[in-house]
Amino acid sequence: MTLKPLYDRVLVKPIEEDLKKGSIIIPDTAKERPQQGEIIDAGEGRMTDDGKIIPLKLKKGDRILFAKYAGTEFEIGNEKFLIMRESDALAIIEL
Amino acid sequence: MTLKPLYDRVLVKPIEEDLKKGSIIIPDTAKERPQQGEIIDAGEGRMTDDGKIIPLKLKKGDRILFAKYAGTEFEIGNEKFLIMRESDALAIIEL
Amino acid sequence: MTLKPLYDRVLVKPIEEDLKKGSIIIPDTAKERPQQGEIIDAGEGRMTDDGKIIPLKLKKGDRILFAKYAGTEFEIGNEKFLIMRESDALAIIEL
Amino acid sequence: MTLKPLYDRVLVKPIEEDLKKGSIIIPDTAKERPQQGEIIDAGEGRMTDDGKIIPLKLKKGDRILFAKYAGTEFEIGNEKFLIMRESDALAIIEL
Amino acid sequence: MTLKPLYDRVLVKPIEEDLKKGSIIIPDTAKERPQQGEIIDAGEGRMTDDGKIIPLKLKKGDRILFAKYAGTEFEIGNEKFLIMRESDALAIIEL
Amino acid sequence: MTLKPLYDRVLVKPIEEDLKKGSIIIPDTAKERPQQGEIIDAGEGRMTDDGKIIPLKLKKGDRILFAKYAGTEFEIGNEKFLIMRESDALAIIEL
Amino acid sequence: MTLKPLYDRVLVKPIEEDLKKGSIIIPDTAKERPQQGEIIDAGEGRMTDDGKIIPLKLKKGDRILFAKYAGTEFEIGNEKFLIMRESDALAIIEL
């Protein structure tokens, strides 16, 4: 079974990173906390009001930082996934 | 009796999937939970502010993932249906 | 006395359908419940910000499904009517 | 003293109709209730963001149905009046 | 000292009218109450998103009806003034 | 150290005016209260959605009236400053 | 590991300034408080609705003043960082 995100949505596999030095640690504050994930698949692009498709920048394999409460969460088998809009992604993580 | 969705709306038959391995399981969290459904019919397209019709991507027979609380629910006979906007659909499920 | 809806508004006579098999049954849930009605008259069209009139798709005699809490309700004599925007209509019912 | 409504506003004299057969009766429900009125004067038109004037459809003498809580209410002498935007009017009443 | 309103703002001197016959009386209701005032000065015009200036219709000396809670109130010496956007004005009062 | 406001923002030094005759007095009401200030520096202009820069009208040395709760307050040494958008300014004060 | 901000986002290292004379002091008030930071990296630009990229004004090394509650906070190792939109930045600090 494959999930093909629609328009400007991306399918993300969240990464539960060990809190080792150099990794991203999310402080326990009132501030919105970001989270890491990997792009499994991306939609064909955002559709403008006028019907034009603007391709996404994010692509399969990109590792991203995103706002923790962004998107819609679900499981396939025992794996957690998220679908969010590309605009919910904050940065690309280059290792 | 047939229901023909208007403009960018789609008629969806929700799928109550068995929670077997490989299927989509919706975790019981505070997060918005998605649900599966099949497109029964789709409107002719979204109308732009200027009156142009932009055809929908979703078509009869597509299986989709959508945000659980999206759309309007009703029954014909004993079957449940939903009408929602195409933008409420998150992804196409390819089996 | 005649009511001529303005711009993108439609005049709707709600239909209190018997709950027989094949008819639309509205479940008693927290979800927004749709309702049936017949278009009595339709406005000349939606006006764009720039003053262009976009004709409506709905016309006198169409039977529609609409969100129950959409529009403004009133009575002429003992008959109930609603005035709503065309965008509050969800689907055309073809019998 | 004369009141000249600005832009897309209309000056309305509300009509307290006797609840005789054939007149519009407003049911006592939680729904937004419409009311009748007569257009005393209308502004020169709605101004678009770009400064173009779009003439109004409503004109002096039109009898309209409008949402009860629309507009701003005041009295001149002992007469009640309302100023509202044309978009608050729902339908023209043709007797 | 002179106050020159910026862009689409107007400087208004509120008028505390005696409640004699023919004057505008504001009923003590839950509805938004209008108030009278005189335009002391008007800005050069509303700026569109694209930087074009659209001249105002209101000018020094106009007597207007405006929504009571519109604008920002202050005093110069012992006189009360208001600065509001032209779109907060409802009608021009012609005596 | 110099602060260069970005885009349509202006740097303002608030003026604590003595409440002498002819000066602006802010009444202690529920209404939004304006305040005086001097423009220390102005951004290069508002950027439109399309990336065009629209120069600001306010410039260094202008004395303005602004809504009291507009902008962001901070101190350099013991002096208070505000950064606000030009659209938060209500009027230019000409002495 | 490198974080590359997406579109109009910037990666900021907050600066905890000593409260010495001449530095920016944030008063403890109900007002929104600004904070200082250094731009570590900036996205390629804001994307317009139509898909055009508008380059950012902020660049690596700029020292900025920003609204304290803007953006998303996280740590890499023991260092705190923020990702915010360029429009959350108020001014460039020139030393």
Side-chain angles (χ1 to χ4, degrees), chain G residues 21-86:
Chain G
K21 189 155 169 21
S23 71
I24 294 171
I25 299 171
I26 313 306
D28 183 14
T29 70
K31 279 224 160 194
E32 189 189 350
R33 294 171 297 168
Q35 203 174 332
Q36 298 178 66
E38 188 187 328
I39 302 292
I40 303 301
D41 205 354
E44 65 176 329
R46 176 173 59 85
M47 183 177 271
T48 66
D49 280 350
D50 233 35
K52 197 175 128 192
I53 292 287
I54 311 291
L56 301 184
K57 189 179 172 71
L58 293 177
K59 57 183 192 304
K60 186 170 150 52
D62 282 346
R63 189 161 176 169
I64 61 166
L65 196 71
F66 57 89
K68 194 172 185 179
Y69 298 110
T72 302
E73 194 184 48
F74 58 91
E75 292 179 21
I76 301 181
N78 287 323
E79 286 188 288
K80 283 190 181 168
F81 290 94
L82 283 145
I83 287 188
M84 65 184 71
R85 293 182 187 276
E86 191 195 44

Side-chain angles (χ1 to χ4, degrees), chain E residues 13-31:
Chain E
K13 176 148 187 48
I15 298 170
E16 308 289 349
E17 192 74 1
D18 279 13
L19 301 185
K20 64 177 178 296
K21 190 159 168 20
S23 71
I24 295 171
I25 299 172
I26 312 307
D28 183 14
T29 71
K31 281 224 160 192

Side-chain angles (χ1 to χ4, degrees), chain E residues 38-55:
Chain E
E38 188 189 327
I39 302 292
I40 303 302
D41 206 353
E44 66 175 330
R46 176 174 59 86
M47 182 177 272
T48 66
D49 280 350
D50 232 36
K52 198 176 126 192
I53 292 286
I54 310 292

Side-chain angles (χ1 to χ4, degrees), chain A residues 2 7 12 22-25 34 36 50-51 61-62 68-69 73 77 83:
Chain A
T2 312
Y7 297 107
V12 179
S23 71
I24 294 170
I25 298 171
Q36 297 178 65
D50 233 36
D62 282 347
K68 195 173 185 179
Y69 298 109
E73 194 183 47
I83 287 188

